[in-house]
Amino acid sequence: MDVKESHRERQARATKEQVAQAARGLFAEQGYVVTTIAAISAAAGIPAQTIYSAFGNKPAILREISRLWIAEADTRRLAQESLVISDPAERLRSAAHWHTRQFETGIDVIRIYQEAARADARMAAEMQRVWAAREHELELFLQSFKGQLKPRALDIFLACTAAEVYQILVLDRSWPVEDYEAWLGDTLVSQLLP
């Protein structure tokens, strides 16, 4: 049965998205720890009480930011599409593409999470769960190669696709995103295929 979203539900979703967008900018600009709900309220043009009612706290706002980022990056669909690519090198280059897309659209979110995890044990535990889930998904992806990869493929893949590598090459060293993606694809192919 197709259930239509009510006007109130659409309004609530739009409010949450507006708050998340404002918070994402503030968290990236001035830091997660020092950003207050009052500052988010002012930036979003949404009363603080509405933000507390919708989210309850900053970690919940950060989860909404993450949800919106994952939807924007569309990496789940891209990863699924890569599974049907029969050529192992092309499948790895496809993985380089969706990892690049994820970083390009959300390296700021990763950095915000890292700051939040340093300041809050609950956020550190949440970040550990997220990384564990990512590792599990990558392990499943690499199993799709059915023994065509070198030993320790997961370890090598995780090292090559670490957010810190993207940070160094693209943000610190000013590589164009296309160059990073090409480098990552070439590196995965040369390091993982016999």
Side-chain angles (χ1 to χ4, degrees), residues 72-118:
E72 177 190 1
D74 200 20
T75 51
R76 287 190 178 109
R77 181 187 59 79
L78 294 171
Q80 284 297 313
E81 287 178 359
S82 70
L83 290 173
V84 300
I85 299 171
S86 59
D87 178 71
E90 287 310 307
R91 194 174 328 149
L92 288 171
R93 290 184 198 289
S94 177
H97 172 69
W98 43 267
H99 271 86
T100 302
R101 174 86 181 132
Q102 192 170 34
F103 291 141
E104 184 180 16
T105 59
I107 192 68
D108 61 320
V109 179
I110 294 169
R111 290 161 57 173
I112 293 164
Y113 257 101
Q114 289 169 335
E115 181 196 349
R118 286 190 297 271

Side-chain angles (χ1 to χ4, degrees), residues 147-156 191-192 194:
Q148 295 174 307
L149 303 177
K150 291 178 183 176
R152 297 188 177 153
L154 178 61
D155 297 346
I156 295 166
Q191 293 299 308
L192 296 180

Side-chain angles (χ1 to χ4, degrees), residues 57-68:
N57 55 31
K58 285 196 305 187
I61 295 171
L62 185 49
R63 284 184 207 99
E64 178 66 7
I65 291 168
S66 181
R67 186 191 70 74
L68 292 170

Side-chain angles (χ1 to χ4, degrees), residues 103 107 157-173 175 180 183-184 187:
F103 291 141
I107 192 68
F157 197 101
L158 289 169
C160 291
T161 59
E164 291 78 7
V165 174
Y166 180 90
Q167 160 105 28
I168 290 167
L169 297 178
V170 177
L171 302 181
D172 299 345
R173 307 299 302 166
W175 281 28
Y180 167 81
W183 168 83
L184 180 57
T187 303

Side-chain angles (χ1 to χ4, degrees), residues 32 37 51-63 122:
Y32 174 85
I37 297 291
I51 295 173
Y52 280 112
S53 295
F55 292 101
N57 55 31
K58 285 196 305 187
I61 295 171
L62 185 49
R63 284 184 207 99
R122 293 168 302 167

